[in-house]
Amino acid sequence: MSQDGGGVNVETSLGYALKEASSALRARMEQVLRPLGMNVTRYACLELLAQRPGLSNSELARGAFVTRQSMNVLLQALEREGYVTRPTEAPVGKVLPTRLTPRGRRELEKATVAVRSVEVRMQAGLSDSERAAAFRIMQSIIGSLRAVGDDA
């Protein structure tokens, strides 16, 4: 509780600390991606496609934490710029599976180096066991928050 007896004390709130860490991480990633002509959403989209080729617009949107409409606009831009390719017609249903082009892979490689440097910096003060514990804790927090929606 805060000093006035209501609300959340931002000095000790785990949720607030997580949000602050998330904001700091995003800002740092934006900073290193900007010179490459990228932002976090564009990078996330390309990274997801590299790891799971053929994802749909909806799957990419969920993975990059944006709306389907925002992802559709991004995919159209990436396609125009030659980073991704999508069939003109859906092979099955309405889904247009998206794949990286060679140009998309090259640009992703540069961005991955930049993002990896942020990850390394973020974890610099942690030992291997602390990193593993932090990861386990984050996974537990994510699981607990997602389970809350199941109870409602």
Side-chain angles (χ1 to χ4, degrees), residues 113-152:
V113 170
V115 169
R116 195 172 293 126
S117 73
V118 174
E119 279 262 337
V120 167
R121 181 177 180 171
M122 176 179 72
Q123 300 176 48
L126 302 175
S127 68
D128 288 346
S129 62
E130 288 171 328
R131 259 191 293 285
F135 186 80
R136 280 192 309 275
I137 291 166
M138 292 302 298
Q139 292 302 309
S140 176
I141 289 169
I142 292 165
S144 295
L145 289 171
R146 288 189 174 148
V148 169
D150 298 339
D151 296 340

